[in-house]
Amino acid sequence: TFSKAYGLGGMRVGFGIAQNEIISTLHKLIPPFNITTLSLSSAIESLKDKEFVNMGIEKNFKEMLRYVEFAKNAGIEYIDSYTNFITLLLEKHSSKEVSQKLLEQGIIIRDLSSYGINAVRITIGKEEQNTVVLNKLKEVLDN
């Protein structure tokens, strides 16, 4: 998708690579569910701005390192990530409870218990957002 690195969150823009047969099938869905002209134009222009994309990726991974350090300091395992989120594998806490307690404080993370793992997935945000999430997560885990 173009949401994070390209700064087009909410525009529902992405791309896929597949065999011709699969693409032909997908083209049957385009008319009723296609993106807007503004979204398409924005995606085309964003592809030209490599500096912005590189900056976004750099910021994402810089912020992700904060979560990695948090996990290491808290003795929490995590899944190495090359995306815009990190998965924390919880042993001492219930992912449902952690997610619910954070939700009650206005922070939405994804509880992965429905996938059969006691883990949470946290989207990497801006520095200020991550500071809030990390502080609240520490409070929840310490209680």
Side-chain angles (χ1 to χ4, degrees):
T1 70
F2 283 63
S3 60
K4 292 286 182 187
Y6 291 91
L8 297 178
M11 295 197 123
R12 316 308 296 167
V13 178
F15 69 91
I17 300 170
Q19 297 171 324
N20 286 336
E21 299 80 30
I22 294 172
I23 297 297
S24 294
T25 301
L26 289 174
H27 274 290
K28 295 175 185 175
L29 301 173
I30 288 175
F33 302 111
N34 204 2
I35 62 174
T36 66
T37 303
L38 176 60
S39 294
L40 182 58
S41 296
S42 298
I44 291 167
E45 289 303 311
S46 72
L47 287 169
K48 298 173 185 176
D49 193 351
K50 293 188 185 340
E51 184 177 326
F52 179 84
V53 173
N54 290 335
M55 179 187 67
I57 291 169
E58 182 179 314
K59 284 182 178 182
N60 178 74
F61 286 110
K62 178 182 175 196
E63 288 300 308
M64 184 178 299
L65 287 177
R66 295 178 65 196
Y67 286 92
V68 168
E69 285 303 312
F70 175 88
K72 287 179 180 178
N73 291 335
I76 298 171
E77 289 187 52
Y78 59 93
I79 298 173
D80 285 333
S81 179
Y82 303 94
T83 62
N84 65 334
F85 62 86
I86 188 165
T87 301
L88 303 179
L89 306 169
L90 304 176
E91 291 182 15
K92 300 175 186 170
H93 300 84
S94 160
S95 61
K96 284 184 182 185
E97 289 179 16
V98 169
S99 298
Q100 182 59 40
K101 287 179 181 177
L102 289 173
L103 180 61
E104 291 167 4
Q105 297 183 61
I107 298 170
I108 300 171
I109 63 173
R110 181 167 291 177
D111 168 26
L112 300 178
S113 62
S114 63
Y115 294 97
I117 58 174
N118 187 39
V120 293
R121 183 184 121 167
I122 302 173
T123 300
I124 308 300
K126 295 178 182 175
E127 182 179 1
E128 314 82 52
Q129 296 167 323
N130 295 323
T131 297
V132 171
V133 172
L134 288 166
N135 288 337
K136 296 295 183 182
L137 182 59
K138 182 174 180 4
E139 287 177 19
V140 167
L141 296 177
D142 286 347
N143 290 329

